[in-house]
Amino acid sequence: MQDFLLNDEDRAFRAEVKAFLNRELLPVTPAIEDRQDWEAVKRVVRSLGEAGYLKLMFPERYQGSLSRPGLTHATLLSEEAAAINYAFETTIATALSCAYPLHRYASPEVRDRYLQGIIDGSEIGAICVTEPKVGSDSARMETRISFDQGRNEYVINGFKRYISNASKADTYIVYGISDPEVPAQKGMSAVIVPKETSGMSFPRTYTFMGRRGCVVGEVEFRDCRVPVDHLLGSLNEGFRIMLSMFNFERIILGGSGLGVARSAFAIAREHAQRRESFGQKLGCKQLIWDLIAEMSWRIDAAELLTYRAARLYDAGELKPKELMKPASMAKLVSTEVATYCADRCVQILGGDGLTKEYGRAEQLYRDARALPIVGGTNEMVKYLIASCDLPEIKPNL
Ligand SMILES: Cc1cc2nc3c(=O)[nH]c(=O)nc-3n(C[C@H](O)[C@H](O)[C@H](O)COP(=O)(O)OP(=O)(O)OC[C@H]3O[C@@H](n4cnc5c(N)ncnc54)[C@H](O)[C@@H]3O)c2cc1C
């Protein structure tokens, strides 16, 4: 049964947000995909913020009509947005992943200064973890965050790449090593860097095979200084902050994968029922039935794991370390299902699946490919899952 883990209120929320996105996002998708029109992206982010949808994960700030906001609803928002345009959805998912540590770890004054703009949709956030020499092995990052006692400031030096919303974001959460003498787990910190801070620059923007319209680029820090109160949590607490942020991001990514998978499935199903081959509907053929069934059960499995993780997060009873496994499973399965469904959808459509003239199948195929790589690759999340099952064994990374 579809959405077995949701209740009537969740379903009402889904219907409401879907109608909103159909009205606000759907009409501008050609501008986003074909012209990479950032202003179009920003306008929809702003309207989502104005409608209150970007504060769903922060119940005490939420003043919408629904009584039970939370990550479950934020995940549904991601799912519905990704079903329409995954590039747009990554922009808000990244901004929300930036809002999460701000909300949880910034001092009240600093939090209010930077969080407000993100949740009201007037500003965008970014997360800076990945570096040229360091991707999956983030504990080896080379960016340094040092403390200048004389000026009471943190000084950042380093180079980050593949940063979503780079150059467009207003607020950057930057991770770096603050104590190189100890392992990164105990020597990493996270700071907030507002846009236009001297010493921060954006050398390059990338061109990707998919996710067109979401800006991804490099961010360089050269003696970039922020006031002492821009540290998140305590000094050297960055690794712990990063892990809890990744739990949050991975549950949202479960929603992104589901949205892309559902979109691909809907296109494939419609084609199987309409297209004729050998004098019959394509959908009559057993090999096509097989593909439809293979997509269908995978989507249900992804849905169950994603909503389970979101529900566990909202229940608030698990520590970040305990949430790691369900969040990783949601990310792993949903993103694999998205690439599977996007690929099978193209196959069912044949030549129509490869050309823009016949709809979105080719776009979904290109977009979906990023999902098993972002937010920690699927190889890495498998290590996390297995490390929960084999706690006595240190994985050979
Ligand atoms: C579109 C896009 C947007 C992104 N947005 C952001 C962002 O906003 N912020 C940010 O910080 N980063 C972002 N990233 C970076 C992303 O998180 C990294 O690409 C990812 O973590 C992998 O790092 P890497 O690309 O350096 O690959 P590598 O770490 O070099 O890995 C290459 C391959 O080897 C595999 N691998 C590596 N080590 C092992 C091992 N021990 N065992 C088995 N397999 C292994 C990996 O799984 C992968 O398949 C983004 C990336 C993309 C493509």
Side-chain angles (χ1 to χ4, degrees):
M1 180 195 166
Q2 197 185 323
D3 66 19
F4 169 70
L5 292 178
L6 302 185
N7 59 30
D8 288 346
E9 192 186 10
D10 303 327
R11 293 189 188 103
F13 172 77
R14 184 205 286 282
E16 176 190 309
V17 82
K18 191 172 178 167
F20 183 92
L21 290 164
N22 276 333
R23 202 169 57 241
E24 302 285 330
L25 175 60
L26 190 59
V28 299
T29 51
I32 297 173
E33 167 69 9
D34 301 333
R35 300 199 304 278
Q36 289 153 63
D37 182 345
W38 174 252
E39 290 310 313
V41 172
K42 269 225 79 173
R43 274 196 298 278
V44 185
V45 173
R46 186 180 274 275
S47 63
L48 272 172
E50 283 169 357
Y53 291 127
L54 300 180
K55 13 181 170 172
L56 287 166
M57 317 82 63
F58 310 122
E60 81 282 6
R61 287 166 181 265
Y62 187 71
Q63 287 157 4
S65 56
L66 293 152
S67 55
R68 270 189 338 101
L71 187 56
T72 306
H73 284 190
T75 304
L76 290 173
L77 166 67
S78 267
E79 181 184 335
E80 293 303 333
I84 296 175
N85 184 276
Y86 171 48
F88 172 81
E89 188 272 340
T90 62
T91 305
I92 53 166
T94 307
L96 294 180
S97 297
C98 172
Y100 170 81
L102 275 176
H103 177 258
R104 206 168 157 153
Y105 297 102
S107 68
E109 308 77 58
V110 172
R111 178 195 64 203
D112 290 346
R113 188 168 351 141
Y114 293 111
L115 185 61
Q116 190 51 41
I118 296 178
I119 62 181
D120 70 21
S122 59
E123 297 189 351
I124 302 276
I127 302 289
C128 300
V129 176
T130 308
E131 301 179 357
K133 288 194 202 155
V134 178
S136 302
D137 46 353
S138 51
R140 290 171 195 247
M141 66 175 57
E142 294 178 341
T143 295
R144 290 283 180 268
I145 297 177
S146 49
F147 185 54
D148 178 342
Q149 209 155 11
R151 289 171 58 173
N152 213 20
E153 289 170 337
Y154 284 104
V155 187
I156 310 145
N157 278 290
F159 196 98
K160 301 287 184 181
R161 71 166 178 168
Y162 296 151
I163 305 305
S164 301
N165 300 341
S167 79
K168 301 294 183 189
D170 301 275
T171 304
Y172 297 77
I173 306 291
V174 184
Y175 291 87
I177 300 299
S178 40
D179 184 353
E181 303 302 321
V182 296
Q185 287 76 356
K186 292 185 176 153
M188 184 185 288
S189 292
V191 289
I192 306 162
V193 183
K195 72 171 177 188
E196 285 163 18
T197 302
S198 169
M200 175 166 68
S201 62
F202 308 99
R204 178 161 55 142
T205 298
Y206 298 98
T207 305
F208 282 108
M209 65 189 273
R211 299 199 348 164
R212 291 187 183 157
C214 174
V215 178
V216 183
E218 296 171 341
V219 188
E220 185 170 15
F221 301 92
R222 282 192 193 198
D223 288 329
C224 176
R225 290 170 172 270
V226 292
V228 68
D229 62 359
H230 281 44
L231 179 74
L232 287 177
S234 345
L235 187 64
N236 300 326
E237 200 193 352
F239 199 79
R240 205 166 68 84
I241 295 174
M242 189 171 74
L243 288 191
S244 70
M245 179 196 78
F246 273 139
N247 279 342
F248 177 89
E249 186 181 352
R250 286 176 188 141
I251 298 171
I252 295 260
L253 271 163
S256 326
L258 255 183
V260 170
R262 281 203 210 289
S263 231
F265 182 65
I267 294 170
R269 194 170 56 168
E270 199 272 328
H271 192 81
Q273 293 174 104
R274 186 173 41 81
R275 173 81 174 165
E276 294 208 352
S277 187
F278 294 89
Q280 284 178 312
K281 299 280 184 216
L282 199 54
C284 298
K285 308 298 171 190
Q286 279 189 2
L287 283 174
I288 302 297
W289 275 69
D290 178 70
L291 289 180
I292 295 290
E294 290 288 337
M295 284 195 258
S296 194
W297 69 256
R298 281 178 168 82
I299 290 172
D300 274 18
E303 177 190 291
L304 286 166
L305 286 170
T306 298
Y307 298 168
R308 176 184 76 163
R311 280 270 186 262
L312 285 171
Y313 176 95
D314 284 338
E317 285 162 16
L318 296 186
K319 297 193 184 89
K321 214 170 171 186
E322 295 166 324
L323 195 61
M324 191 168 81
K325 185 173 169 183
S328 298
M329 284 186 168
K331 194 270 175 181
L332 172 67
V333 175
S334 256
T335 59
E336 291 294 336
V337 169
T339 55
Y340 179 87
C341 290
D343 179 73
R344 298 296 87 188
C345 170
V346 168
Q347 194 64 23
I348 289 180
L349 266 67
D352 293 356
L354 296 170
T355 167
K356 271 191 180 300
E357 277 66 36
Y358 287 96
R360 291 181 64 226
E362 64 84 35
Q363 182 195 338
L364 287 166
Y365 181 82
R366 287 185 286 102
D367 282 352
R369 197 58 192 85
L371 282 159
I373 293 171
V374 297
T377 66
N378 283 3
E379 288 74 21
M380 290 304 117
V381 298
K382 281 184 193 169
Y383 279 118
L384 295 177
I385 294 166
S387 70
C388 298
D389 292 326
L390 300 170
E392 308 298 322
I393 296 177
K394 199 171 163 0
N396 178 14
L397 288 171

